[in-house]
């Protein structure tokens, strides 16, 4: 089952909202739902165009390149560093699990606290 743009965006919001030290707001424009961890952006949900329902996340440059190559609806993010940010729209292969993984990874990349070692 292919996700709709609204579902993709809601999964991203739900995932972001479940993470630690997260805030959200609309500091740039009413059409961009911006999610931050410790004042660093890790997710943007674009709401100004119902035909372009996307989310934008921070990624490792190598993973971002692979995702852009493998999925037609993963693109270089507008207005952000072209190596470290991607936008994801609904399309073939874009799943709830992929969105959740990308939001978690983006949160981890933006949150520069040292990770606790697990025993």
């Amino acid at each position: 089952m292919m996700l709709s743009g609204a579902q993709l965006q809601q999964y991203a919001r739900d995932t972001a909202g479940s993470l630690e030290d997260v805030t959200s707001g609309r500091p740039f424009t009413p059409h961009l739902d911006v999610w931050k961890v410790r004042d660093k952006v890790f997710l943007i949900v674009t709401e100004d165009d119902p035909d372009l329902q996307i989310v934008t996340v921070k990624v490792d440059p190598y993973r971002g390149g692979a995702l852009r190559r493998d999925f037609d609806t993963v693109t270089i993010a507008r207005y952000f560093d072209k190596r470290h940010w991607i936008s994801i729209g609904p399309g073939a292969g874009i799943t709830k699990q992929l969105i959740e993984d990308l939001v978690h990874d983006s949160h981890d990349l933006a949150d520069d606290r040292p990770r606790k070692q697990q025993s």
Side-chain angles (χ1 to χ4, degrees):
M1 178 180 105
M2 190 164 77
L3 297 178
S4 70
Q7 288 172 316
L8 179 153
Q9 290 178 323
Q10 192 59 52
Y11 289 141
R13 283 189 186 98
D14 291 347
T15 302
S18 73
L19 300 172
E20 281 189 33
D21 301 315
V22 169
T23 59
S24 68
R26 297 173 185 271
F28 307 126
T29 171
H31 303 294
L32 296 178
D33 188 10
V34 178
W35 293 77
K36 296 180 180 182
V37 57
R38 300 182 189 282
D39 293 324
K40 293 185 180 178
V41 175
F42 73 96
L43 169 67
I44 296 189
V45 180
T46 303
E47 299 178 337
D48 59 339
D49 184 348
D51 295 325
L52 186 64
Q53 292 179 307
I54 62 172
V55 298
T56 300
V57 294
K58 191 171 190 171
V59 293
D60 170 83
Y62 296 107
R63 184 168 190 210
L67 289 166
R68 289 191 309 273
R69 183 180 59 247
D70 293 344
F71 299 99
D72 291 338
T73 59
V74 175
T75 61
I76 293 172
R78 296 184 204 164
Y79 315 117
F80 287 93
D81 181 301
K82 307 288 187 223
R83 288 178 18 100
H84 295 277
W85 291 87
I86 57 171
S87 292
I88 305 102
I94 305 300
T95 64
K96 177 181 178 183
Q97 187 62 55
L98 177 63
I99 296 303
E100 290 173 354
D101 290 346
L102 289 171
V103 171
H104 277 271
D105 290 350
S106 183
H107 176 273
D108 290 346
L109 286 168
D111 185 5
D112 58 4
R113 284 183 305 163
R115 298 285 167 239
K116 292 180 183 177
Q117 294 283 333
Q118 292 187 3
S119 349

